[in-house]
Amino acid sequence: MLRERSRERGNVTATGDLAATCRGLVKIYWSATGEVHALKGIDAEFPSASLTAVVGPSGSGKSSLLRILAALDRATAGMVRVGRRELSALRWDQLQRIRRRGIGYVFQRPSDNLIPYLTVEAHLRTAARIRRPLRRPRFDELLEMLGLGRHRDALPHHLSGGEQQRLAFAQAVVADPLLVVADEPTAELDSETAWGLLSIMRSLAGRGVALVVATHDPTVIREADRAIYLRHGAVEAEAREDRTLSVIDADGRIQIPPAGLRLFPDRRAVIRVEDGGLRIDPP
Ligand code: ADP
């Protein structure tokens, strides 16, 4: 159940129950070898108090989307809103303020999220100093909730991979962000540890955070409230409450899943509108 809420996060305020929205989001990378169109007009919504899985093969645009949502990178075109703030209109220093106050980010590799010489508690205190939460953080409660209560004096290399990722999530939520974005956070964990981290992500969503998680992990996809499937930089389908819906973009384009595409080797189709439905057959 999504909660009706409107909350302040520094300069970022949730609109109704949507933490973030993208409309027509485009990302183009320019390199010596040419242009890469990584995102080709993404429309997506990320509700508060929910876990959204972003799924897709390697190169489909998951990280590009997450980095833009997390205000770590800018879109080439289109709109991305976190809370009430339209990110594309902001200067880098304003983006940084939103990133600190309103958004948490968790990298795939546990060690990339942590500083080797800081204890668990020092990580949280440092994160709180940088992020400057509106209310005094309750470190004890957070550490207990994330199963790190008995490790508060431990250094990262004394923690397991799962514990390191929990600490990364603890840092990400220390300022009560609207949105936490995580790029394949369970990829380097065994299935039991991944399950533990997933239940923590669920509890954080239960506290009102919008969690957006790029993943290949079938357990995360199954347990998420919603899944967005990307292919070739476009949203191919959205899954919600056990239903997967193909997405028709603003220009009427729809992606045919790879299994269906094999029926059309010459890439031509006969399309008929009949009986209130659409029929697509090989010629
Ligand atoms: P995913 O996370 O699904 O693997 P990415 O968003 O990382 O997808 O990449 C999407 C496409 O953009 C890929 O073709 C990738 O090679 C390209 N890409 C990503 N980052 C850069 C970059 N910094 N410079 C050039 N191309 C990039």
Side-chain angles (χ1 to χ4, degrees):
M1 272 285 282
L2 301 181
R3 286 189 214 151
E4 283 297 322
R5 54 172 57 208
S6 171
R7 297 173 304 155
E8 283 283 346
R9 290 291 177 274
N11 290 326
V12 192
T13 312
T15 51
D17 56 6
L18 275 188
T21 311
C22 305
R23 290 277 174 265
L25 204 64
V26 170
K27 180 68 188 178
I28 302 173
Y29 297 104
W30 282 272
S31 68
T33 50
E35 287 184 0
V36 181
H37 292 242
L39 300 175
K40 300 173 187 162
I42 303 282
D43 293 332
E45 294 182 339
F46 302 94
S48 300
S50 76
L51 174 58
T52 302
V54 177
V55 188
S58 182
S60 58
K62 301 181 298 296
S63 299
S64 299
L65 175 61
L66 263 54
R67 289 177 56 78
I68 293 168
L69 270 180
L72 290 167
D73 198 2
R74 283 186 186 281
T76 309
M79 188 276 284
V80 56
R81 190 159 51 217
V82 174
R84 294 184 193 283
R85 304 301 298 266
E86 221 290 42
L87 301 190
S88 54
L90 302 181
R91 298 188 311 268
W92 275 110
D93 59 320
Q94 294 172 309
L95 282 181
Q96 187 188 55
R97 201 154 49 238
I98 286 181
R99 212 160 51 226
R100 286 182 171 170
R101 293 268 174 93
I103 306 171
Y105 191 86
V106 175
F107 291 96
Q108 174 177 342
R109 273 209 317 214
S111 56
D112 287 345
N113 293 303
L114 307 175
I115 299 169
Y117 54 84
L118 291 184
T119 64
V120 166
E121 185 175 346
H123 272 91
L124 292 195
R125 292 197 181 282
T126 306
R129 222 172 15 250
I130 293 169
R131 292 177 175 274
R132 292 194 283 150
L134 292 177
R135 71 180 170 95
R136 211 181 151 80
R138 299 194 194 105
F139 294 128
D140 291 336
E141 186 189 312
L142 193 56
L143 289 173
E144 285 307 323
M145 185 198 154
L146 294 175
L148 292 167
R150 62 195 176 84
H151 296 299
R152 58 191 311 149
D153 297 322
L155 291 169
H157 69 273
H158 290 131
L159 302 175
S160 67
E163 287 161 350
Q164 290 183 11
Q165 282 306 63
R166 289 178 195 198
L167 177 55
F169 273 95
Q171 290 187 119
V173 298
V174 85
D176 287 331
L178 279 176
L179 177 68
V180 171
V181 176
D183 201 349
E184 308 207 27
T186 62
E188 304 215 347
L189 307 179
D190 63 58
S191 57
E192 200 177 319
T193 313
W195 179 259
L197 192 65
L198 178 60
S199 69
I200 277 167
M201 290 192 265
R202 291 231 52 107
S203 327
L204 294 175
R207 287 159 60 118
V209 178
L211 271 129
V212 181
V213 178
T215 188
H216 291 290
D217 186 334
T219 315
V220 178
I221 300 167
R222 206 171 44 245
E223 292 294 315
D225 299 302
R226 327 158 50 244
I228 293 177
Y229 291 85
L230 293 185
R231 194 149 63 94
H232 304 309
V235 180
E236 177 183 38
E238 273 178 17
R240 251 181 268 170
E241 291 157 14
D242 295 333
R243 284 186 80 194
T244 301
L245 301 177
S246 292
V247 171
I248 305 168
D249 78 10
D251 296 319
R253 285 178 296 231
I254 189 165
Q255 292 209 42
I256 297 172
L261 211 51
R262 283 198 279 280
L263 300 171
F264 301 89
D266 59 359
R267 297 292 189 268
R268 296 291 181 276
V270 178
I271 298 181
R272 295 187 200 93
V273 180
E274 55 182 44
D275 301 332
L278 191 69
R279 220 190 128 98
I280 307 178
D281 293 300

